[in-house]
Amino acid sequence: MSSNTAPSSSGGAGSADATSTRRHSKRPKYSRFTQQELPACKPILTPRWVISAFMLVSIVFIPIGVASLFASRDVVEIIDRYETDCIPTTNRTDKVRFIQSPGPKKCNRTLKVSKRMKQPIYVYYQLDNFYQNHRRYVKSRSDQQLKDPKSESDVDACKPEDMANGLPIVPCGLIAWSLFNDTYSFSRNKQQLTVNKKDISWKSDREHKFGKNVFPKNFQNGSLKGGATLNTSKPLSEQEDLIVWMRTAALPTFRKLYGKIEVDLEENDTIEVILDNNYNTYSFSGKKKLVLSTTSWIGGRNDFLGIAYLTVGGLCFFLAMAFTVVYLVKPRQLGDPSYLSWNRNPGGH
Amino acid sequence: MTSKRPLLIPSPRTPNTQHLPALPVYSDIANPTSGGTGLFSGMDSRNPAAADNSINVELPTFKSSPQRSISSSQRSVSSSQGSVVEPPTFKSSSQRSVSSSRRSVVEPPTFKSSSQGSVVEPPTFKSSSQRSVSSLQSKASGNNSVRESISSLQSKNSGNNSVREVSFGDLESKPVRYGSRGADSEALSLSQKDLNEEDARVVYIDDLAKTNERFEYSGNSIRTAKYSVFTFLPRNLFEQFHRVAYIYFLVIAVLNQLPQLAVFGRGVSILPLAFVLLVTAVKDGFEDYRRHRSDRIENNRLASVLVGNQFHPKKWKDVRVGEIIKIQASEAIPCDMVLLSTSDPTGVAYVQTINLDGESNLKTRYAKQETLSKMPDKEKITGLIKCENPNRNIYGFHAFMEIDGKRLSLGPSNIILRGCELKNTHWVIGVAVYVGRETKVMLNSSGAPSKRSRLETRMNFEIILLSGFLVALCTVVSFCAAVWLRHNNDELDDILFYRKQDYSKGKVDDYNYYGWGLEILFTFLMSVIVFQIMIPISLYISMELVRVGQAYFMIRDGQMYDESSDSRFQCRALNINEDLGQIKYVFSDKTGTLTENKMEFQCASIWGVDYNGGRSSPEQVGYSVEVDGKILRPKMKVKADPDLQQLLRSGKDTNEGKHVYEFFLALAACNTIVPLVVDTSDPNGGLLDYQGESPDEQALVYAAAAYGFMLIERTSGHIVIDIQGDRQRFNVLGLHEFDSDRKRMSVILGCPDKTIKVFVKGADTTMFSVIDKRLNLDIIRATEAHIHAYSSLGLRTLVVGMRELSATKFEQWHSSFEEASTALIGRAALLRKVAGTIENNLIILGASGIEDKLQLGVPEAIDSLRTAGVQVWVLTGDKQETAISIGYSSKLLTRRMTQIIINSSSRDSCRRSLEDAILMSRKLMTVSADTQTDRGSSGHGGTQVALIIDGTSLVYILDSELEEKLFELASYCTVVLCCRVAPLQKAGIVALVKNRTADMTLAIGDGANDVSMIQMADVGVGISGQEGRQAVMSSDFAMGQFRFLVPLLLVHGHWNYQRMGYMILYNFYRNAVFVLILFWYVLFTCFSLTTAITDWSSMLYSIIYTAVPTIVVGILDKDLSRRTLLDYPQLYGAGQRQECYNSKLFWLTVVDTFWQSLAVFFIPLFAYWGSSIDRSSIGDLWTLAVVILVNLHLAMDVIRWNWITHAAIWGSIIATWICVFVIDAIPSLVGYWAIFHVIKTASFWLCLLAIIIAAMAPRFVVKFLYQYYRPSDVQIARELEKFGNPSASRPAQIEMNAILDLPRR
């Protein structure tokens, strides 16, 4: 048998050619692909590689962390929580009854500017514990209806705010129905501060999601009033509060842009706010806050990212150091065959 | 029938008593109650050990046979080889039972002499063991294994004995049916016992109505297809829904149809499941269609069936029991039929049983003398055949034929089975007895169980775990939702984002609120729908695709292409690719798998001189003769030794030349080969094809022909041999056919020079005892030495001897031969005895070395597999010596191994052998363990144990409590060789291992006899050789050569396993991370199952965003190169140890998944808490973050980066971006333009970067630490590949390259 097993020692890649002349042979054609021999790079995690990777991460992360912390700290924010304060003390036992009662519910608030605020100053209202992302809620809207006057009666998804008095509601659905209706007016030193409510919504929404010829109809005519009423003479594409409101928030604590104050506020300025406290967050003990905030490249005031970056960067630096020490103390030669299991414990496996 | 196989090798525990003289005393000891000893003298005694192994003959008890009344007292337990004679004086049955039990003492399984007619028993046996054995035997005899004793003293009851009656007349003129083999086999058939009525079927020859009167026999149509048109859909769906996951997805899809729960669109939720089901159904349907087609072809083949007085063609499927069928030469046999007559005047028919047992040589079958002359188309035959009910024993058959008032017994040699082919016989006529699915071949093809890979089975378990997680998540959600609802119960009507009540209608009504309890239930069910991809349906699709891809590469592998048969590797089962990487046991067939089943004469030792130059000289000498104007050449060329040829040409004048002459004459004459002339394209030429039962004989005759001794013609009375151009005619005066008892055969030739010569050839073990040692002792020594040398090369050796016979001696022999061959009972024994009288005092001529050619690369492959930690078991139908010699030549056995041979013939002795062997091997193990610790690092040192066990013993072991012991024993052994095993036993052995371990088994074979084994094993591999397709058809993988097993397992198996294991874990991770992100978000939405990630992204996540890279990596990634895997077969252990997929990895993955989901979810959550971020924007951030993360996670684990991997991973990330952009550019969706707003903010990018680094860091650290400080073998090998110094390592691996380079010829 030995005569048969003599190997052809060449064994090179091209030796398959020898027989390829055979006709109708089923021999698989040689290609690097079919033989799974495509050129490839085979990275291996060597200590050096790993340590430099961690070093790199820490070098990138720590400056970013510092920068974003600074940016976040630069943002000036005035937050005024008012949902309790704006209820007369006599009515505080039953806030829901109060808020549901008709009549104006004016409320005066005073804000103090702690630091100079450069324009534009964004005016937000912040709701806590308001689940704009509740399944019932987010589904209760009709995008067709908002866009197209012909789809007016396309209200199947809008239950339970689909019809009122036998007619379809435009805009229908719980979201529109619950439109935030507290209003704010600001004055500084008895001087009215204009709040620019233009362009507070996304341009894309105004142009493509809310129709220019769709007008509110039959809105808030149901037996239960949810929130703001709409000016029936303005098309939906111009109802920016609605547009902002309809872009539902991701999280139960959220801010919505109310408007922009386009003048600088100086330090120690006192700002009088007259607000209409209409919105019922009391039935689910939601908080209402008025927020005035400047902005930075990182957005609003939030230290989290900065801290996160510093932490990750610091940890990576620490790991890089630790690996360096370990590598120096207890190195292992890569590719040492004596580590193979059958070389380590002979005879048994 | 396995039971009649001789037990050739002594069991290590039995004393060697084979040469004990015949001592009446012993028979007395053995049989103290047996009255006078005189009766015993001169009687033939056989080994009862062989008697009780006839499991296969299923016979009722012998209660009702009227014929037995005379002989009942003479009955004894006897063996196939002969009989134990009881004194005829016994009368009472009780006495009989005592005596028979006494008689059935186990004798040493080795016995040699048939000539000495006395009870030979080992004096060492203790009586207690005697009794236990004998009681068992007598019990067994009650059921099925009593053999009728045959002795000359009992000629009275000859009428119903089963000896073939042959008329021996003038030796020279009349055809002779030689030998004892036929008689042997018939001695087994329990002719004198009746078949129980309910166990028998009665076939009225050529009388279908009467045959089918009582029983409804099925037709001859067969059906291997699984489905019909009507049953396809339900059955296929039923089978597909065996997968737990499919049921799960079905439930989800159904749930999503309920309006209250509709989370996703209705059609969309069904689509993936429907797609998978459809693809699988189409695949199954196509496969079944092919089976249908082959069934139809098979059923519509034509057979020539007697209708009225003429044979008409009839479709196979219409053949009925009782019909008379005529088969022409080379036709396949349509059903199991009893032979009536054949074209041969002596009633011989040759069949090829390759499809049944894988043996390609011809088997002789006989028609009964009584029916031989009947021509059913001329005169109507009436008669009946009463036979046992259909069973799957292909070596056993038991029946009577009643014809012309005579009652003939039929045995396995009288039946030809479906699946065989008639050869060398012009025609045969037979009666169909078993048809269709009752034929033995169909009964033997046990149904193909659908296989599931081990990994997938494990995976199903983990999927159940995952569903546990899923339920936990859903429970958390619904519990929280319940609490929330409870807590806010009073406000629900008013809460702006809930608004329980619907005022729009006239009356105030609850809107979409079904009460607290139902709400919770709905929340639960909805959360199941939302979190459904926790259980990855995409994984099933990916796995199918990956397997197709892996199969593509396996098929295209140039190293697994077989040039000789021009066949590629075939992947027939797509479910079990990864199992190839975990094989622990390989069960291999021998013939055709390890060997090419081509015997080749290699060398000879003649008169003490070793001639083996033929191996080195490539010179092909073609002797040719001219017969009838045609120049005939032997079909197979044999390399000839030039010295020897020179010697032959110089003539037989020298002493040396004379012996060489005699030697080759013996080779050419001493056989049963039939020369056939095969026409070739050349009109003046032809090929001489030597056909015969034994491939060894064929090889020898071809060898003789190469040296100028061409056998040209053989009739019953003479042979013609062309000796160096000189045609000579030799009269065949007598021929003792080979029997496995004597292990030799002899022929008595009347030579042209009027001398009478006896040529004997046989196994060395028996030959040296009949060679006259007084002469030529040095020659004998030399020959013995040569034989030893040959067999250590793995050659099969035969010793040739001769003697000259004087006229008187011949006369003496002739008369006794005549007498013996006409004897009606005990003919076999008598013939053996006669043979014994003449096969002695031989002059040694020499010995031949025949190579049972191993397939290319087999020893290297076996060695490689062994190094890889795979246990190789060889299961063969061949006899023990052959198996052992192949074991040596294939390096399966080495001289250093301790062999344990178990040839037992009763359950009891089996048990004892096993227990002894276990004790011994334990001892050896401990000894070798001790020495090993001393010897240090030489791998497998110490004593290795090889177990050799035969089919007879296995009969007792399988399906009994002894299985456990055998398994224990086998676990100590490095090699297990099973000889003489029947097809179903092979499956039994595989099952023995498979059921007891969690280890994977692989069976490889080429013949139909391997089918059951192939189907039983976890992985079945068929050798697509020249012979038969059955093995391939039932296999999971098919390939051309055994050695391809090495690249298949070590390379592809390893890769596939590693890839698939990683892919499954990764898919679990990938989906779970996504589900967890959804889950975390749900906690911030009042548990109302809102998702921030859009429905579209949820759907596309496992289809577009992340599917391609895992499939590409699953198909293409290689942890190690082919070369490394072949160089270090031990690396295969990674799969055996389940390194790529185990519960530790699973739980690690779970923890990692958990962390990553936290990082992905909470970094944006905190970053955007209390900001004006809208749901779509943060959803897009989460989508992108998770997709980039899982793709980078995969990228981190990719081992080999080629351009396809790059394209897949980076392409997927890019595709995800594009998809997100596209989705957000659809105005009708809520998230319109969100992504374009959010990417303009810095915090988006900061979040993304932070998520990826924070999520990956722990895994990266763990991975690095693990790889660096607890490196696995694979890791080391990877480093070796990259950094290793090739010259420094691999000292011992050089020879392994043989396998690597072989296919690149």
Side-chain angles (χ1 to χ4, degrees), chain B residues 514-557:
Chain B
Y514 306 93
W516 192 64
L518 267 182
E519 278 300 299
I520 293 162
L521 177 69
F522 287 154
T523 308
F524 186 86
L525 293 177
M526 276 163 73
S527 53
V528 172
I529 297 172
V530 170
F531 302 149
Q532 61 167 308
I533 68 158
M534 186 81 181
I535 283 123
I537 193 170
S538 57
L539 178 55
Y540 287 93
I541 307 170
S542 314
M543 278 169 82
E544 302 265 318
L545 288 173
V546 163
R547 284 173 180 145
V548 168
Q550 291 174 343
Y552 172 85
F553 285 115
M554 287 195 275
I555 291 164
R556 294 301 172 103
D557 188 345

Side-chain angles (χ1 to χ4, degrees), chain A residues 26 36 133 135 302 309 341, chain B residues 568 1089-1090 1118 1167 1246 1273:
Chain A
K26 283 192 199 150
Q36 307 190 55
N133 56 17
R135 179 169 205 87
N302 190 334
Y309 267 76
S341 65
Chain B
R568 288 180 184 186
L1089 298 163
T1090 323
K1118 303 194 295 181
L1246 289 184
D1273 291 345

Side-chain angles (χ1 to χ4, degrees), chain B residues 934-1057:
Chain B
D934 297 340
R935 281 151 41 103
S937 65
S938 64
H940 297 279
T943 323
Q944 292 182 316
V945 185
L947 172 66
I948 294 149
I949 190 163
D950 71 345
T952 322
S953 313
L954 286 172
V955 165
Y956 296 104
I957 292 167
L958 297 178
D959 299 322
S960 77
E961 77 283 357
L962 293 178
E963 273 193 356
E964 206 63 59
K965 287 197 162 49
L966 176 64
F967 179 70
E968 190 192 343
L969 176 58
S971 62
Y972 294 122
C973 299
T974 35
V975 176
V976 180
L977 260 178
C978 304
C979 339
R980 281 290 174 213
V981 284
L984 270 177
Q985 277 183 321
K986 290 187 176 183
I989 294 162
V990 175
L992 170 87
V993 173
K994 190 178 154 187
N995 297 339
R996 274 179 181 70
T997 60
D999 298 330
M1000 302 290 300
T1001 53
L1002 178 145
I1004 179 168
D1006 73 323
N1009 55 338
D1010 306 315
V1011 167
S1012 58
M1013 158 171 99
I1014 285 172
Q1015 286 176 345
M1016 173 62 74
D1018 294 307
V1019 178
V1021 178
I1023 298 282
S1024 46
Q1026 307 84 339
E1027 299 164 343
R1029 295 274 305 155
Q1030 276 83 353
V1032 171
M1033 294 307 285
S1034 60
S1035 66
D1036 305 311
F1037 302 98
M1039 53 196 191
Q1041 302 253 330
F1042 179 81
R1043 71 181 144 91
F1044 296 161
L1045 212 50
V1046 174
L1048 178 65
L1049 296 188
L1050 300 195
V1051 179
H1052 289 286
H1054 179 93
W1055 284 343
N1056 291 347
Y1057 168 72

Side-chain angles (χ1 to χ4, degrees), chain B residues 1062 1066-1075 1077 1101-1102 1105-1107 1109-1110 1153 1156-1157 1160 1182-1198 1209 1212-1213 1216 1251-1252 1255-1256 1259:
Chain B
Y1062 179 74
Y1066 175 76
N1067 272 267
F1068 285 166
Y1069 148 80
R1070 183 190 73 173
N1071 286 11
V1073 102
F1074 192 77
V1075 167
I1077 289 166
Y1101 176 70
S1102 49
Y1105 297 175
T1106 58
T1110 130
T1153 307
Q1156 294 197 12
S1157 73
V1160 172
W1182 277 324
T1183 309
L1184 288 166
V1186 73
V1187 170
I1188 294 172
L1189 176 67
V1190 296
N1191 278 313
L1192 285 182
H1193 175 113
L1194 183 71
M1196 191 166 81
D1197 292 337
V1198 167
I1209 291 178
S1212 282
I1213 294 176
T1216 309
I1251 287 171
I1252 284 155
M1256 302 259 283
R1259 183 183 170 85

